[in-house]
């Protein structure tokens, strides 16, 4: 039983950050924008949140964990949203190629995180010496009372608030996209921007907002890895390929936020499965790490063969919108 609890904790720990990235990309893609810059924006959010908490704690005699959480949360969201704004200006206003822009944003974001992460480490006294103890402890605080409920409490209620916020956001995003006027307008923009424009929907505004907010959500995935998963520490290139897993999860979840919840747990489990299989060589371990991508390809093939519209990406995904003059 103890092994199972530990495995569940590891799976959830791996999956939640991926879920944040996927939710941000789902919101972005529903507007018709294909943002491959999600991995970079996760780095931007992670380092911005850590810098905010570091500056607060090192300039306050008795730092308050809750204040540190608020500061780092806002810094992470806003910095990643800025990445979304840069992407939006280039692809929506200037109509640059979305694939190239997204890849460039990933390269920029990873470099941005590594540069400021290394600089912050030196400022703090060396790699691994970044001190955000109060904020890190606040992020890792489990659910009061419920975390004490034996095996169930350890397995499902021993995490910080960002874990549960991700699940809540997935449910809220699903409700927004399927049950609200604004959400349906956003989906219309993603399916046929010209038709949405003719109906009086401001295509540019919807795409800008969806991309910027989606970027902010992905940045929270970076904040999760830095604060809750890593306890307030930074390691250059420490996110690995989790940002790309988030993009793969969007396809696996068929662009549905609720599907992304259990999909992120599946991805998290597959990602660490090799750790629990003895005797694997290094090359075999890398094959096991690729399992989430293999599963995504299989799902993509199956859904493509079925050709069911609700299982396909938005019709205008990746295409710039050129408004016809009337």
């Amino acid at each position: 039983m103890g092994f199972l609890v530990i495995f569940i904790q590891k799976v959830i720990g791996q999956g939640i950050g991926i879920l944040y990235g996927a939710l941000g990309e789902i919101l972005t893609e529903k507007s018709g924008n294909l943002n491959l810059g999600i991995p970079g924006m996760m780095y931007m959010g992670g380092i911005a949140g850590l810098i905010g908490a570091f500056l607060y704690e090192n300039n306050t005699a008795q730092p308050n964990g809750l204040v540190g959480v608020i500061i780092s949360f806002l810094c992470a969201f806003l910095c990643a949203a800025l990445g979304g704004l840069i992407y939006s200006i280039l692809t929506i206003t200037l109509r640059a190629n979305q694939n190239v822009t997204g890849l460039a944003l990933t390269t920029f974001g990873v470099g941005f995180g590594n540069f400021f992460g290394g600089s912050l480490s030196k400022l703090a006294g060396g790699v691994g010496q970044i001190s955000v103890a109060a904020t890190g402890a606040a992020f890792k605080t489990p659910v009061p009372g419920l975390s004490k409920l034996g095996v169930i409490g350890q397995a499902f209620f021993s995490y910080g608030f960002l874990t549960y916020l991700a699940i809540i956001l997935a449910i809220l995003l699903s409700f927004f996209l399927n049950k609200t006027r604004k959400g349906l307008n956003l989906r219309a923009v993603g399916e046929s921007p010209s038709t949405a424009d003719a109906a009086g929907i401001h295509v540019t505004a919807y795409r800008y907002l969806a991309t910027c907010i989606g970027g902010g959500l992905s940045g929270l995935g970076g904040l999760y890895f830095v604060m809750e998963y890593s306890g307030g520490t930074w390691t250059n290139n420490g996110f690995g390929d989790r940002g790309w897993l988030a993009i793969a999860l969007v396809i696996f979840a068929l662009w549905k936020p609720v599907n992304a919840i259990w999909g992120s747990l599946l991805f998290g489990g597959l990602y660490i499965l090799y750790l629990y299989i003895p005797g694997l060589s290094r090359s075999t371990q890398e094959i096991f790490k690729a399992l989430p991508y293999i599963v995504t390809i299989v799902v993509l093939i199956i859904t493509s063969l079925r050709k069911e519209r609700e299982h396909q990406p938005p019709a205008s995904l990746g295409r710039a919108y050129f408004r016809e003059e009337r």
Side-chain angles (χ1 to χ4, degrees):
M1 186 64 72
F3 168 81
L4 180 60
V5 169
I6 293 174
F7 182 73
I8 291 174
Q9 290 175 336
K10 296 291 185 181
V11 166
I12 293 176
Q14 291 289 339
I16 293 300
I18 300 171
L19 176 58
Y20 273 111
L23 293 179
E25 182 65 0
I26 288 173
L27 180 61
T28 300
E29 291 194 12
K30 283 295 185 180
S31 72
N33 281 346
L34 175 62
N35 187 1
L36 298 179
I38 291 296
M41 290 192 289
M42 290 177 71
Y43 273 85
M44 293 173 69
I47 191 59
L50 184 59
I51 290 175
F54 176 81
L55 293 177
Y56 164 69
E57 292 200 18
N58 282 269
N59 290 280
T60 306
Q62 294 182 329
N64 181 282
L66 178 59
V67 175
V69 166
I70 295 173
I71 291 174
S72 60
F73 189 95
L74 291 175
C75 287
F77 186 90
L78 293 175
C79 184
L82 177 61
L85 178 62
I86 294 172
Y87 175 90
S88 297
I89 292 173
L90 291 173
T91 61
I92 300 173
T93 301
L94 302 180
R95 299 190 178 94
N97 182 277
Q98 293 189 11
N99 294 326
V100 174
T101 302
L103 293 174
L105 184 58
T106 285
T107 302
F108 169 79
V110 174
F112 179 93
N114 289 340
F115 173 79
F116 284 103
S119 301
L120 189 62
S121 295
K122 292 181 180 179
L123 181 64
V127 177
Q129 299 299 313
I130 302 173
S131 177
V132 288
T135 304
F139 270 105
K140 293 178 72 70
T141 301
V143 179
L146 294 179
S147 59
K148 305 294 184 181
L149 297 177
V151 174
I152 298 297
Q154 293 177 33
F156 300 106
F157 300 108
S158 60
Y159 314 97
F161 82 96
L162 281 178
T163 297
Y164 307 103
L165 179 62
I167 297 172
I168 293 171
L169 287 175
I171 296 172
L172 291 177
L173 181 57
S174 178
F175 178 82
F176 169 75
L177 292 173
N178 294 293
K179 301 296 183 181
T180 68
R181 180 183 295 272
K182 297 294 184 183
L184 294 174
N185 286 348
L186 178 65
R187 292 174 60 186
V189 168
E191 291 295 335
S192 178
S194 58
T195 304
D197 194 6
I201 299 172
H202 200 307
V203 173
T204 299
Y206 270 91
R207 285 192 165 182
Y208 260 87
L209 284 172
T211 305
C212 291
I213 295 174
L217 289 177
S218 66
L220 296 182
L223 181 68
Y224 169 83
F225 279 118
V226 171
M227 289 297 183
E228 187 170 326
Y229 184 77
S230 302
T233 60
W234 178 268
T235 303
N236 281 358
N237 298 311
F239 296 176
D241 59 351
R242 293 181 179 91
W244 298 112
L245 283 174
I247 296 175
L249 178 57
V250 174
I251 301 171
F252 178 84
L254 303 176
W255 292 267
K256 297 179 180 180
V258 174
N259 285 355
I261 297 175
W262 64 266
S264 67
L265 300 180
L266 176 62
F267 275 29
L270 292 174
Y271 192 69
I272 63 172
L273 183 61
Y274 72 96
L275 295 173
Y276 297 88
I277 300 179
L280 294 179
S281 64
R282 181 76 181 203
S283 58
T284 307
Q285 290 179 4
E286 294 302 320
I287 293 176
F288 271 85
K289 287 183 180 180
L291 283 177
Y293 300 106
I294 296 173
V295 171
T296 300
I297 292 173
V298 172
V299 170
L300 183 60
I301 293 173
I302 293 174
T303 55
S304 297
L305 291 175
R306 289 182 176 178
K307 297 181 179 180
E308 296 178 4
R309 186 68 201 97
E310 65 272 18
H311 294 162
Q312 303 300 319
S316 70
L317 184 62
R319 303 175 186 172
Y321 173 57
F322 296 85
R323 185 176 188 183
E324 297 180 1
E325 297 294 335
R326 296 182 177 84

